[in-house]
Amino acid sequence: MKTEKVILLTGFEPFGGETINPSQCIVEALDHTLIGGHRIVGRVLPVAFAPCECLVAEWIEELNPALVIGLGQAGGRSELSLERIAVNLIDARICDNDGSQPVDVPVQAGAAAGLFASLPLKRILLALQNAGIPAAISHSAGTYVCNQVFFLTASCLAKSTSQGRGGFIHVPWLPEQGVNHPGQPSMALAAMIEGVTLAIRTSLAHEADIALAAGTTH
């Protein structure tokens, strides 16, 4: 029997006083669609440390996905941020949606200090730029729930025998959110959906990355 090819795409519910989260909107738009012969399975995570610790591992085991791409809101950023590394640290500036605020604790006790994305990030960056979609490589996914989910994803995939690959993309506020944040950047939902779709297509087409300067000086 032929095994269905699946991509797990995760996003988050609103948090921090917002009533909408662009990552959830993207996931819901792409859920059940086919990209490169793979069915997108969209799942929305709570912005809460405790349940995410279990859900990420459960979903990866359930679906055995070829790719796992997490999405999260990064208000104030002006482009799609292709996250390169997840750090083994939780240092919550604000409470999560369950009222928890862990400070200076590891995502996983005894695990590595950091884990890298296994997607061809620089190929994705070039593809997005060629499509006119603002994008950048990011070297900090923060220390909140997004980084936790990114670290858990990378850890689960590293232990799996399925050869699945994964990473995390932070997205800007939506224009309707920007109204409440004067002077801050935003991006149309259609552009974000196009960008995430292109990131998936590029990841399916290429396992190896390219040598392209995309670092920062500070």
Side-chain angles (χ1 to χ4, degrees), residues 33-91:
T33 62
L34 285 174
I35 300 178
H38 292 65
R39 180 171 65 91
I40 304 299
V41 176
R43 299 281 173 88
V44 178
L45 288 158
V47 180
F49 293 103
C52 284
E53 186 173 358
C54 301
L55 288 172
V56 172
E58 288 175 3
W59 292 346
I60 290 176
E61 182 177 1
E62 170 198 348
L63 298 169
N64 191 28
L67 298 176
V68 182
I69 299 181
L71 306 176
Q73 171 189 292
R77 297 196 190 185
S78 59
E79 67 276 309
L80 299 186
S81 294
L82 311 175
E83 299 297 347
R84 195 170 193 180
I85 184 169
V87 295
N88 191 10
L89 174 67
I90 296 173
D91 189 358

Side-chain angles (χ1 to χ4, degrees), residues 35 62-63 71 124 132 145 161 167 181 184 211:
I35 300 178
E62 170 198 348
L63 298 169
L71 306 176
I124 295 170
V145 187
T161 59
H181 303 280
Q184 294 295 311

Side-chain angles (χ1 to χ4, degrees), residues 49-176:
F49 293 103
C52 284
E53 186 173 358
C54 301
L55 288 172
V56 172
E58 288 175 3
W59 292 346
I60 290 176
E61 182 177 1
E62 170 198 348
L63 298 169
N64 191 28
L67 298 176
V68 182
I69 299 181
L71 306 176
Q73 171 189 292
R77 297 196 190 185
S78 59
E79 67 276 309
L80 299 186
S81 294
L82 311 175
E83 299 297 347
R84 195 170 193 180
I85 184 169
V87 295
N88 191 10
L89 174 67
I90 296 173
D91 189 358
R93 181 180 62 81
I94 60 174
C95 291
D96 68 13
N97 284 357
D98 283 349
S100 178
Q101 190 177 7
V103 173
D104 293 342
V105 298
V107 176
Q108 288 184 329
L115 294 172
F116 285 88
S118 48
L119 303 178
L121 296 184
K122 293 185 176 181
R123 286 187 185 274
I124 295 170
L125 176 66
L126 190 60
L128 292 171
Q129 290 175 338
N130 287 341
I133 300 171
I137 302 291
S138 169
H139 297 88
S140 175
T143 54
Y144 197 51
V145 187
C146 287
N147 174 76
Q148 179 205 28
V149 166
F150 181 14
F151 190 94
L152 291 170
T153 297
S155 177
C156 287
L157 291 175
K159 296 171 184 175
S160 172
T161 59
S162 67
Q163 306 299 312
R165 296 175 290 133
F168 198 95
I169 301 174
H170 266 121
V171 300
W173 277 316
L174 292 163
E176 51 264 48

